[in-house]
């Protein structure tokens, strides 16, 4: 081979080598799959759908019904028959005083006070008798069953039946200086009854000769 051919061959070899190398360089990306066309993905195992957690509904608290307080029934007082007023049955009282009407000053005398229920149907409940002694008179002794208060004597008689009664006896003394008119009064009372009054009017005479009063009963 001539020197010129050898030089030409070398020159060609130098020219071809880069081209071949360039071809390799250019072709390398295609061989590696690095191109503009996307490679298909390999399908994997399908994943099940994700179910979101279920939140249970919130039930509001139940408020129990409120029971109102029970008011006990009020029992009205027993007043008997409605609209009818109780009737108070009235007894028929009688009061009488018996005694001297013309006593003498300084004299001791006895008077009798009678209390009577003259009714034939109604008893006399809570009965009482009061005797008022006038000035110039005084009690010799306290009468049985009587209560003395000042110039009055009281008797509690309780219940007096129909057509029944009682008599109280008082022993009195007239002052030696007394003279003139005097009145002894008695009052009879009972439940639902009209108060009854009796009066014993007397004229007191002055002392007789010798200053000795007469004793009368």
């Amino acid at each position: 081979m001539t020197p010129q051919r050898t030089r030409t061959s070398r020159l060609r070899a130098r020219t071809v080598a880069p081209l071949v190398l360039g071809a390799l360089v250019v072709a390398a990306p295609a061989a590696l799959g690095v191109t503009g066309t996307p490679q298909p993905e390999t399908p994997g195992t399908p994943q099940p759908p994700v179910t979101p957690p279920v939140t249970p509904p919130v039930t509001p608290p139940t408020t129990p019904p409120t029971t109102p307080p029970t008011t006990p029934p009020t029992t009205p007082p027993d007043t008997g028959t409605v609209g009818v007023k109780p009737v108070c049955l009235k007894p028929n009282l009688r009061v009488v005083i018996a005694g001297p009407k013309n006593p003498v000053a300084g004299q001791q005398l006895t008077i009798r006070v009678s209390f009577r229920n003259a009714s034939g149907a109604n008893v006399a409940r809570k009965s009482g008798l009061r005797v008022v002694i006038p000035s110039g008179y005084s009690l010799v002794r306290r009468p049985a069953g009587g209560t003395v208060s000042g110039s009055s004597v009281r008797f509690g008689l309780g219940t007096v039946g129909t057509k029944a009664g009682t008599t109280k006896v008082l022993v009195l003394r007239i002052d030696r200086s007394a003279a003139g008119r005097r009145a002894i009064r008695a009052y009879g009372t009972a439940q639902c009854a009209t108060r009854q009054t009796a009066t014993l009017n007397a004229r007191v005479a002055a002392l007789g000769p010798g200053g000795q009063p007469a004793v009368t009963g």
Side-chain angles (χ1 to χ4, degrees):
M1 182 177 294
T2 60
Q4 186 175 359
R5 287 182 179 180
T6 302
R7 189 177 300 138
T8 304
S9 300
R10 292 175 180 174
L11 180 59
R12 286 178 179 177
R14 291 177 182 177
T15 305
V16 171
L19 290 174
V20 174
L21 181 61
L24 293 174
V25 171
V26 171
L32 295 174
V34 181
T35 63
T37 303
Q39 298 296 322
E41 295 182 358
T42 303
T45 304
Q47 298 295 327
V50 178
T51 304
V54 178
T55 303
V58 178
T59 303
T62 304
T63 303
T66 303
T67 303
T70 303
T71 303
T74 303
T75 304
D78 185 6
T79 56
T81 305
V82 178
V84 178
K85 294 183 179 180
V87 177
C88 188
L89 302 177
K90 299 176 63 173
N92 186 9
L93 305 184
R94 294 287 187 268
V95 179
V96 177
I97 301 178
K101 295 184 178 179
N102 296 292
V104 179
Q107 178 182 348
Q108 178 176 308
L109 53 88
T110 300
I111 64 171
R112 291 172 175 84
V113 183
S114 298
F115 177 98
R116 182 174 175 79
N117 177 17
S119 172
N122 304 323
V123 299
R125 295 182 173 86
K126 298 182 180 179
S127 302
L129 183 65
R130 181 169 69 101
V131 181
V132 179
I133 300 171
S135 61
Y137 284 62
S138 61
L139 282 168
V140 174
R141 54 183 175 272
R142 184 178 65 85
T147 301
V148 180
S149 176
S151 61
S152 297
V153 182
R154 296 178 181 271
F155 301 90
L157 307 179
T159 299
V160 178
T162 59
K163 303 294 183 178
T166 183
T167 299
K168 300 300 179 181
V169 178
L170 287 78
V171 179
L172 306 176
R173 184 182 297 279
I174 303 175
D175 295 344
R176 296 175 66 88
S177 59
R181 296 181 179 275
R182 298 290 189 273
I184 302 174
R185 291 184 173 86
Y187 304 92
T189 58
Q191 186 178 36
C192 301
T194 303
R195 188 179 74 166
Q196 297 297 309
T197 304
T199 304
L200 175 62
N201 292 310
R203 182 186 293 272
V204 178
L207 289 174
Q212 296 298 321
V215 176
T216 59

